[in-house]
Amino acid sequence: MKLTTASKITVVRILLIPVVLVLMYLDFAGHMYWALAVFIIASLSDFADGYIARHYNQVSNFGKFMDPLADKLLVISVMLVFLDWGYMPAWAAIIVVARELAVTGLRLVAVEGGKVIAAAWSGKIKTASTMVGFCIMMLPVPEAVTAACWIVVVLTTVYSGVEYFIKNSEVFR
């Protein structure tokens, strides 16, 4: 199988995940800024591969599967580090993971019925707010700012998840 440029970017994003995690856990001056820089590159690659896939007609089954998986792996991996460090409560992480699994399940059921569920704007806002929130949480900010970030992540996650199910409820009929 020959990978498209968009798919290669997705693969690079997956390969950057352990780099972010190692940098987060290493203990040297500025390690979190390096982790943040790699996380930003990985996050921006999500927008780049999507743009390239659509603009240059490189949409592929590999990309349709791996792109959302790469996003989920990046977010969940960094979120687990935040849990380990006590930056966010476990119940908040459970909500984020549950929404991801539920929406993925909804999409699978829809595909079986011949329907493709495109990403909604609320999902894009959720992704962007999660990426920005996690970037802020990697910085030396007060606990209140960290709390505000994970609260925004949870709220946008819940909103977008509810919207996906309401707008696509006919999938279960």
Side-chain angles (χ1 to χ4, degrees):
M1 172 179 79
K2 187 174 185 320
L3 291 179
T4 64
T5 301
S7 292
K8 288 176 186 174
I9 293 170
T10 300
V11 169
V12 169
R13 183 164 64 257
I14 292 169
L15 295 174
L16 288 176
I17 295 168
V19 176
V20 172
L21 299 177
V22 167
L23 287 168
M24 288 177 79
Y25 276 108
L26 286 178
D27 189 16
F28 64 89
H31 72 103
M32 284 305 294
Y33 293 108
W34 284 103
L36 174 61
V38 176
F39 181 78
I40 289 170
I41 291 167
S43 297
L44 292 177
S45 76
D46 178 31
F47 300 104
D49 65 14
Y51 173 80
I52 289 169
R54 288 184 298 277
H55 190 73
Y56 295 101
N57 196 27
Q58 294 184 4
V59 175
S60 66
N61 286 336
F62 177 86
K64 287 178 191 176
F65 174 73
M66 290 305 293
D67 180 62
L69 179 62
D71 298 341
K72 288 167 184 43
L73 288 172
L74 178 62
V75 167
I76 291 170
S77 297
V78 171
M79 189 171 52
L80 289 173
V81 174
F82 291 152
L83 280 172
D84 185 36
W85 291 348
Y87 282 18
M88 69 187 298
W91 64 263
I94 291 167
I95 288 172
V96 173
V97 172
R99 180 262 185 217
E100 296 300 339
L101 293 173
V103 169
T104 299
L106 175 67
R107 284 190 164 133
L108 290 172
V109 170
V111 165
E112 274 196 24
K115 180 180 179 184
V116 175
I117 298 175
W121 273 105
S122 65
K124 293 177 187 291
I125 291 167
K126 184 258 324 166
T127 299
S129 67
T130 299
M131 299 304 186
V132 170
F134 283 7
C135 286
I136 293 168
M137 290 171 71
M138 288 183 181
L139 296 170
V141 296
E143 282 185 36
V145 174
T146 298
C149 288
W150 66 255
I151 288 168
V152 168
V153 168
V154 169
L155 291 175
T156 56
T157 295
V158 169
Y159 180 85
S160 69
V162 168
E163 183 184 61
Y164 270 99
F165 277 87
I166 290 172
K167 286 188 173 181
N168 298 288
S169 61
E170 74 279 355
V171 167
F172 298 108
R173 291 190 191 121

